Each structure stands twice: as C-alpha cells, then as structure tokens.
C-alpha cells in the first residue's frame, strides 16, 4: 500500500484506521502533535494537482472530534513542511489512535505524497518540572550538608 496521491489507485491508504497506532494518554494533560509533509511530481514539471496528506488523532473518550493535521494541499511543493498543533487530552480519554492517510479528492495526475516523522508527545506540567527541580536541589543540599559534618 502507498500514499502516492494517485486517484482511484486500489492500493491507496485513503481512510482513517487503515494505518494507525494506539497510544496511551492522560486525561487533562497537554499534548503536542506534529508531522512533516512533502510531495513530488512524476511529470517533472511540478504542476501535478494532488490530494492532501492527513494525520488524524482520535481520542477514545467518545465525545471529542478528531484532531487533524493536513499537509500538501494542491500543487506539488518540493519542500518539506512541518504542521503541528497542541491541545489538552479530553476528560475520560485513556488512549488515542493516530492514523495516516490521503484525501485524493480533486487529484488530477501522477505525483506522490510523503508523510514523515509523525510525533505525538505528552507535555509535562510546569508543576511536575518544578517539583523535580526542587527534589534535585534538596538532594544536592542534603549531600553537601553530610560532607561538611
């Protein structure tokens, strides 16, 4: 199977869930979600009209809408582009599904789409980082005190 953007290809991945990964999440935590998108032309002129690459994030809370990152709409661009978003994991979610696929609506000629380096990361809360820092300082102060005795 491929993500080549060719209309009506029998091996295209063109719906959420065909290629996906399930990840654990923590409700109420912040997250970062990003992917790199690129496209190429098989005609050499760079004027192919392609569909678009899509990376979709679905939380299992049963309520929230999918989070979409969409790249490479329309005409081929030889440069890679980073698309990203941030958000808060909805209440009740314990896992999320990350899918990659293409939407070939309006695609008119041969070319290809690339989706690379899909990243989903939970962002630590500032209070967690602060507590870790205080703990490290406390350990350092405790060991210094023992050396002075």
């Amino acid at each position: 199977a491929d993500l080549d953007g060719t209309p009506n290809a029998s091996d295209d991945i063109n719906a959420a869930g065909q290629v996906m990964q399930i990840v654990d999440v923590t409700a109420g935590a912040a997250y970062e979600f990003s992917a790199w998108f690129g496209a190429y032309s098989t005609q050499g002129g760079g004027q192919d009209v392609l569909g678009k690459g899509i990376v979709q994030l679905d939380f299992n809370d049963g309520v929230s809408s999918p989070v979409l990152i969409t790249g490479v709409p329309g005409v081929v661009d030889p440069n890679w582009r980073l698309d990203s978003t941030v958000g808060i994991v909805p209440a009740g979610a314990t896992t999320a599904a990350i899918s990659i696929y293409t939407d070939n609506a309006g695609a008119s000629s041969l070319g290809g789409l690339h989706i690379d380096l899909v990243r989903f990361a939970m962002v630590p809360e500032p209070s967690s980082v602060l507590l870790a820092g205080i703990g490290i300082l406390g350990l350092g102060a405790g060991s210094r005190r023992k050396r002075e005795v």
Side-chain angles (χ1 to χ4, degrees):
D2 68 326
L3 296 171
D4 70 1
T6 308
N8 304 316
S10 62
D11 62 348
D12 275 357
I13 300 167
N14 54 18
Q18 288 178 288
V19 175
M20 77 173 173
Q21 180 173 353
I22 305 294
V23 295
D24 293 329
V25 296
T26 304
Y31 67 85
E32 295 175 345
F33 183 44
S34 64
W36 286 90
F37 296 90
Y40 68 91
S41 168
T42 59
Q43 307 301 312
Q47 298 303 310
D48 296 323
V49 177
L50 302 172
K52 59 187 171 208
I54 301 170
V55 181
Q56 181 171 322
L57 178 65
D58 291 293
F59 293 103
N60 75 334
D61 66 334
V63 179
S64 60
S65 299
V67 177
L68 301 177
I69 300 176
T70 305
V72 194
V75 178
V76 170
D77 179 356
N79 301 310
W80 284 90
R81 189 178 84 219
L82 174 66
D83 284 346
S84 63
T85 189
V86 296
I88 303 294
V89 176
T94 57
T95 61
I98 300 170
S99 300
I100 60 170
Y101 61 99
T102 61
D103 175 0
N104 294 330
S108 65
S109 61
L110 297 177
L113 301 171
H114 297 288
I115 301 173
D116 200 4
L117 298 174
V118 175
R119 180 176 184 268
F120 177 80
M122 302 301 292
V123 179
E125 297 177 27
S127 60
S128 299
V129 174
L130 179 64
L131 284 173
I134 290 171
I136 290 170
L137 287 174
L139 288 173
S143 66
R144 183 177 176 159
R145 213 177 266 150
K146 285 181 184 179
R147 279 186 277 165
E148 291 176 1
V149 173

